[in-house]
Structures are given as C-alpha cells and as structure tokens.
Amino acid sequence: MALIVQKYGGTSVGSVERIQAVAQRVYKTVQAGNSLVVVVSAMGKTTDGLVKLANEISPNPNRREMDMLLSTGEQVTIALLSMALQELGQPAISMTGAQVGIVTEAEHSRARILHIDTTRLCRHINAGKVVVVAGFQGTSNAGEMEITTLGRGGSDTSAVAIAAALRANFCEIYTDVPGILTTDPRLVAEAQLMDDITCDEMLELASLGAKVLHPRAVEIARNYGVPLVVRSSWTDQPGTWVTSAKPQGRSLINLEIARPVDAVEFDTDQAKVALLRVPDKPGVAARLFGEISRQKVDVDLIIQSIHEGNSNDIAFTVTTPILKRAEAVAAAIAPALRNPSNPKSDEAEVMLEHNIAKVSIAGAGMIGRPGVAAKMFATLAEAGVNIQMISTSEVKVSCVVAAAECDRAVIALRTAFEIEGGEQGSRGAGESRCIDSPLPLRPSVTERSRSAAPLPNCPPVRGVALDLNQARLAIRQLPDRPGMAAKLFGLLAQHNISVDMIIQSQRCRVINGVPRRDIAFTVSRIDGENAKKMLTQVAAELGWGEVVLDSAIAKVSIVGAGMVGQPGVAAKMFEALAQHQINIQMIATSEIKISCVVAQEQGVKALQAIHAAFGLAGSEKVVVPV
C-alpha cells in the first residue's frame, strides 16, 4: 500500500462534471490499494470572483478579512468532492486547513507554514477514508486561531507540505498540461514534455514564471526529499517526475521558515577576464563567447552590466589553468569589437585579474526572502571584504572577492548563517508515517533523486522561460567600498522588495577621490516605482548618483543541470538572439541557468528563437484547455 497526496487545481475542479471526474480518478487510485489525501483549490475562477466582490466594497480591503473571504472558495470544493466520493461508495471527509492541523505564521495573505499536526489526519486515513483538504489556507499559532492564506500557489504548497509531514510515498500535482514542458505551450505549441527534471532545475523554471508548480512547493520537496509528479487531469499520461536529493534529516518544525542557507561554498581556483567598453549592439556576446567555445574554454560566471552611452562591459570567470587561453581569445577579439569610425578610441579594453575567489551561499530556502542576499552582503562588509562581482540564482548567491579575503569571508558567512555544524539529524513532531508502506512506486526515479548530478543522458538545456513581469533599476556611481551593496539591498529587504538579477559593472571611475561603479538589478514590475522612489530619497545621503528605472524589459533564461562543464551553451544562446537582431541588455549566470535581459517587445521572439536553437521542440503540439 502506498500513501499518496494528490492536488487538483482550480481548472481541474471548475465544474460539477469535473469534480465528478476527479472523484472517479481518486476512487480508482484507492481501489488500487492506496491511501489518499486530496488537496484542492477553489473552483475555476472563484477566487477572482471573490477578489472582485471585495474590491467593489473597498479599494483597499483589510488583509484579515480578505483571508476570511478567500478561504471560503476551497471549502466549497472540498465539500462537493467529498459528496461526489461518497456517492461512489468511497468513505471521505472534507477538512479545512485549520482542521487538518496546518499552523502558519500570523501573516495574512502570505503566511508560511510552521508545522502540521497530522494526528487527526492520520486517524481518518487509518479508518479508510479519503481526506479532502482545502489548500491555500491554515491557521495562526498565536492563540487566536486566525484563518490565514498562503498566497499565490498556496494549494501546491499545502499539498507538498502535507506529503512531507506524512512522509508520503509521493505527491501528484494534477493540472491542465501533461507535465513539465520545455517552455510555455501558449508561446511555443511544439513545447516538449520532459520525463524527469531535478528539483534545482524546477526551482529555476518555477521562479522564472513557469506556472505548473509554485517555487515554494518545489522548495519543500527539495528540502524534505518528497518525490513529485506533475500530471494532466484529463489523461492517464505518466507526466513528469521532479526528483530531489536524499533529505538530510531536516526537522518538520518551522517547516517553511527553517534557515534559508544550507551551505557556504568557495572556489579559489578562479581568475577574471573583463572586456570594457564593448559596443552595445546585437551579436557582440555571441561573437565573443562563440570564439571562447571554439577554443574549448569553459566559463563559470558571466555578467554583462547595463550600457553606458553606446557601450557596456562583459566579464567572466574561468579556472586559473585555462586563463591564458581565455586571455588570448579576449585579446584577439577585442580589436574587432572596436568602433570602426574611431579606431584610435580606447574601446574594448581587456582587463585581467588573478588572485580572486568565488564565495557562494546555497539553499532552497532563500526563495522569496528579500533579506538573504542583503545579509550575505552585510556579513562580508562587516568582515571588511569588498565584492567585485555578484551573480544570483534562486538557490545561490555568488560573490567574487580577493583570494586573500576568501577564508575570512567563508568563516564570517558560516557564522552568520549558522551552518558550521551542518544539518542536524533531528526530526520534528508529526513526522511519523500514518501507515506502513513500501518504497515509492517509482524506485528508479527515487534512486536517481539521491544525487544532485544531472539525470542520465541529460541535455545541457532542459527548458526556456520568459518573465515579462520584471523592471530594472540602475544606480549610477555607487561608491566602490565594503558595505554599499549591504546598505542598498538591506533597504530593499526592509521594504519587502525581492531582487532577482544583480549586476555590478566592471568599469570603475574615480570621482573626487572615490572609486565608483554602477550597479543594476531587477525586481518585480509592481515594486519598480516604489523601489525607485525609496532609493532616490536616500541617494544623496548614501553618496550615490542617479536612480534609473526601466519597466519595458523581458528576461529570457535557459535552465539545465547538464550545462555544467559544457563550453558553448552560452554562446549558442547568444547566437540565437543575434541571428534575430535581439540586443542583450544584461547577462547573469549560475551553474544551471543563463539569463538575458532584452527589450520587452522582443521577449516572446527571444524565447522562441532560443527554444528552436537548442532543438527542444517535440513532434506533437500541446493544447492547453480553456
């Protein structure tokens, strides 16, 4: 017997007929000998309708009352689905988030789960009932029993958290597409279904706007080793398995607010190559990294800063043994990048730096927590460590520092994030399993999930994602000294503004005796104006220059664990953009992701071009039901 948690989204339960179809699927799963917990969302557009009603009453409704209102949507669904199961002769009981024991922070509209008391849940499971749970909601632990909601994607989060608390064999997420696809099928009809994807890859794709799974749900699956499968509500196709490494005994107390950083990593075998003042036009990055790829030079971090005038800077890091090859490539191509109308100009200067180190913090818990990067920067500043480059992803923040400061940086970060002792083997309350059950039904996937390595025969790029909901802020002439990045991103964190890409320019100017650099970063578009206003107000006090906002941008990214150690992946992406005359405004990379900022109106074309360049299209078109 297997213990399974299933989750059905709003589309899957959007009508009485669809609820009855879900009941049939659930009944068939139980008849096969499994125990089942079913988590559901509100029917169809119910939540949108409730929000509209609230806005007709008040332009700025109270968040507590909004939680009270929105939590009713799921309660309709659980009651109807339980009735439908009972009509089939299957014992079932509906339970709200509070009744099922989901305890959250006392934070209305965006609460995180603290723990789940599974006592009542297990009692009903052991009695042979299907427990139908209202997703998206819980209750606060402050003694007042306040109803709270988990925010966007909350039903995904509820389902995976319950699976972790019950130590279920796996969690099935049912949706309106057949699984995880290589890109959005509404933009590329030939998007291909993946059989497997790692949690790290899925975290990047989910955070980039792939709406099949919410990043918080993937984070919980990764932290607790919950095998996930994403399947279609309309077919019996096997779907896509999302695999994770073997869990390290993480406690289920403070389930979603456990420490965000799992490890501090460092690499002292690094050197930096920067090309300053390269032309700001399509094809430059493609030409540079195309030649680097042909010379079999494997690049680690790549950053391209915002333009200044008609030029910008591109910098990358390589391992020390291949620095001479990288330097030769950069030096050879630099003259070809200079302005032909002014051959005596000092454009495309090559700058090398030895004796650097890359220091990183890693952990799935940093998703959506604005203060994590700021804490890293503040820690380095307090240790007197200046940051030369910054590269970010959903599960890692990397900084390039002087090699002589590496040990000091690592010690300070380990202390700040309390990870010197590593993960402890303690277990939290409510973790015991309800039933005795064998290994998961997909043992081959489970075995693969024990390693963070790419899946066998994994292509370098698994998926392409487009984010049209970001804005870019640039701060000109930021003083280049320890503590400035900490102050900047600390201010943003205080205002609950999450930052995505962070790029620090390589070009340095000395103004009134103070070395200065530009820094640019992206935020959610809805935060753009507020961030600009706040940063402009403190600019004079903190000694930085103009704050510039650009909301007409798009971020296109490729994700794949297989790109590690494969020269040429970035070059292929840049070449695809160059062939369609799409100019790259910013570049940022991590080990498994490369992101480019382009003009907003070119975003969809950029995604389609990159998807085609990596041969990710399948032979069949995916149709998303209305």
Side-chain angles (χ1 to χ4, degrees):
M1 178 187 291
L3 174 57
I4 303 170
V5 177
Q6 293 183 343
K7 179 262 176 178
Y8 294 90
T11 307
S12 303
V13 291
S15 66
V16 169
E17 293 76 20
R18 289 185 176 181
I19 288 174
Q20 289 171 329
V22 167
Q24 289 285 353
R25 187 186 290 270
V26 171
Y27 181 69
K28 190 189 307 184
T29 305
V30 175
Q31 290 300 299
N34 302 297
S35 295
L36 215 58
V37 175
V38 180
V39 178
V40 293
S41 301
M43 294 175 64
K45 300 291 184 180
T46 298
T47 301
D48 293 341
L50 293 172
V51 171
K52 184 178 178 181
L53 285 174
N55 290 333
E56 289 175 2
I57 297 290
S58 168
N60 187 28
N62 178 276
R63 283 169 55 191
R64 179 194 182 275
E65 302 309 328
M66 284 300 293
D67 275 4
M68 188 69 74
L69 175 67
L70 297 183
S71 64
T72 64
E74 282 73 18
Q75 292 176 43
V76 172
T77 315
I78 59 174
L80 292 175
L81 180 55
S82 294
M83 294 175 191
L85 286 166
Q86 290 163 9
E87 284 298 304
L88 296 174
Q90 171 58 50
I93 184 170
S94 61
M95 298 178 74
T96 65
Q99 289 173 321
V100 89
I102 297 176
V103 178
T104 75
E105 302 170 299
E107 183 73 41
H108 289 293
S109 79
R110 54 177 182 234
R112 288 181 179 267
I113 297 172
L114 298 178
H115 67 270
I116 302 175
D117 182 351
T118 60
T119 306
R120 187 175 181 185
L121 192 56
C122 286
R123 186 168 70 245
H124 289 303
I125 292 171
N126 290 331
K129 296 177 184 176
V130 170
V131 183
V132 185
V133 178
F136 175 66
Q137 62 181 250
T139 184
S140 70
N141 196 25
E144 298 181 2
M145 297 294 289
E146 288 288 314
I147 292 175
T148 55
T149 64
L150 308 183
R152 190 174 72 85
S155 292
D156 287 353
T157 304
S158 300
V160 181
I162 289 170
L166 293 173
R167 298 179 64 199
N169 291 80
F170 53 86
C171 179
E172 297 179 315
I173 306 291
Y174 284 92
T175 183
D176 53 7
V177 292
I180 309 298
L181 300 165
T182 51
T183 195
D184 188 338
R186 290 163 295 193
L187 301 178
V188 180
E190 297 81 12
Q192 189 173 352
L193 179 68
M194 297 182 231
D195 293 333
D196 302 273
I197 187 170
T198 66
C199 263
D200 282 349
E201 291 171 322
M202 191 66 238
L203 273 172
E204 300 285 11
L205 287 172
S207 301
L208 290 167
K211 297 177 181 178
V212 178
L213 272 176
H214 194 271
R216 280 171 64 183
V218 184
E219 174 191 352
I220 296 169
R222 180 185 188 270
N223 286 342
Y224 294 95
V226 178
L228 281 178
V229 59
V230 179
R231 304 179 63 187
S232 170
S233 297
W234 325 113
T235 71
D236 291 323
Q237 290 179 271
T240 303
W241 285 84
V242 183
T243 64
S244 56
K246 184 178 181 180
Q248 299 179 359
R250 188 183 285 259
S251 171
L252 283 160
I253 298 298
N254 292 331
L255 191 145
E256 273 202 282
I257 63 168
R259 65 170 180 255
V261 174
D262 294 324
V264 172
E265 302 167 359
F266 64 95
D267 183 357
T268 56
D269 190 24
Q270 294 252 321
K272 180 175 70 176
V273 181
L275 271 77
L276 308 185
R277 296 177 291 276
V278 298
D280 182 35
K281 63 183 182 182
V284 171
R287 191 169 184 180
L288 171 62
F289 290 98
E291 187 58 35
I292 286 173
S293 171
R294 284 187 285 276
Q295 298 300 323
K296 306 296 183 187
V297 174
D298 190 19
V299 173
D300 186 1
L301 300 181
I302 303 172
I303 65 166
Q304 178 182 303
S305 62
I306 54 170
H307 68 87
E308 184 172 337
N310 296 318
S311 68
N312 51 32
D313 308 333
I314 299 177
F316 57 94
T317 62
V318 295
T319 57
T320 304
I322 60 173
L323 174 61
K324 288 191 179 297
R325 263 192 292 157
E327 177 188 0
V329 172
I333 202 169
L337 298 178
R338 292 187 178 127
N339 190 342
S341 63
N342 186 12
K344 294 184 180 180
S345 72
D346 61 349
E347 292 180 355
E349 173 190 355
V350 178
M351 182 177 73
L352 301 178
E353 188 158 356
H354 303 260
N355 302 319
I356 63 167
K358 182 178 73 171
V359 181
S360 308
I361 56 172
M366 62 179 67
I367 293 172
R369 301 189 198 183
V372 177
K375 184 175 180 178
M376 179 186 191
F377 303 151
T379 300
L380 294 177
E382 289 167 7
V385 177
N386 197 34
I387 300 169
Q388 300 180 23
M389 291 173 69
I390 300 169
S391 179
T392 59
S393 79
E394 294 306 321
V395 295
K396 185 174 286 191
V397 181
S398 298
C399 295
V400 170
V401 302
E405 297 176 338
C406 180
D407 287 348
R408 191 161 75 247
V410 170
I411 291 169
L413 290 171
R414 283 178 173 165
T415 301
F417 289 102
E418 301 178 352
I419 61 171
E420 291 169 294
E423 282 292 332
Q424 301 300 314
S426 60
R427 294 279 181 180
E431 190 168 356
S432 59
R433 301 184 85 157
C434 294
I435 58 171
D436 293 326
S437 53
L439 291 172
L441 301 186
R442 283 280 305 258
S444 59
V445 171
T446 305
E447 288 305 312
R448 285 206 294 270
S449 74
R450 297 186 191 282
S451 170
L455 297 172
N457 304 315
C458 177
V461 175
R462 306 300 308 281
V464 186
L466 176 66
D467 190 342
L468 293 169
N469 296 309
Q470 292 210 346
R472 180 182 63 214
L473 284 144
I475 300 179
R476 301 291 187 181
Q477 300 176 10
L478 196 78
D480 184 28
R481 59 174 179 252
M484 291 311 299
K487 287 181 180 177
L488 167 58
F489 295 105
L491 280 169
L492 293 168
Q494 288 171 21
H495 288 76
N496 203 34
I497 296 173
S498 292
V499 176
D500 185 12
M501 296 173 68
I502 303 173
I503 306 293
Q504 182 173 272
S505 72
Q506 295 304 294
R507 211 178 307 186
C508 187
R509 284 183 181 72
V510 178
I511 301 174
N512 297 325
V514 178
R516 297 175 180 272
R517 299 180 191 270
D518 297 340
I519 194 164
F521 52 93
T522 59
V523 298
S524 173
R525 187 171 296 162
I526 61 173
D527 290 329
E529 288 290 349
N530 287 338
K532 179 186 177 182
K533 182 179 179 181
M534 181 265 293
L535 294 174
T536 301
Q537 288 173 346
V538 300
E541 176 189 344
L542 295 175
W544 58 54
E546 182 185 11
V547 180
V548 182
L549 172 67
D550 184 359
S551 296
I553 64 165
K555 184 180 75 171
V556 62
S557 307
I558 57 174
V559 173
M563 69 174 68
V564 177
Q566 290 201 32
V569 176
K572 195 170 188 176
M573 179 183 188
F574 303 154
E575 179 60 31
L577 296 175
Q579 287 176 356
H580 289 79
Q581 290 299 299
I582 298 172
N583 194 36
I584 300 172
Q585 299 180 17
M586 292 170 66
I587 301 170
T589 68
S590 70
E591 281 86 346
I592 66 170
K593 181 177 74 173
I594 302 172
S595 296
C596 294
V597 168
V598 301
Q600 184 180 33
E601 67 269 15
Q602 294 183 308
V604 173
K605 184 167 73 170
L607 176 138
Q608 293 168 340
I610 294 168
H611 193 270
F614 285 97
L616 296 178
S619 57
E620 298 180 5
K621 293 187 177 183
V622 175
V623 178
V624 179
V626 177

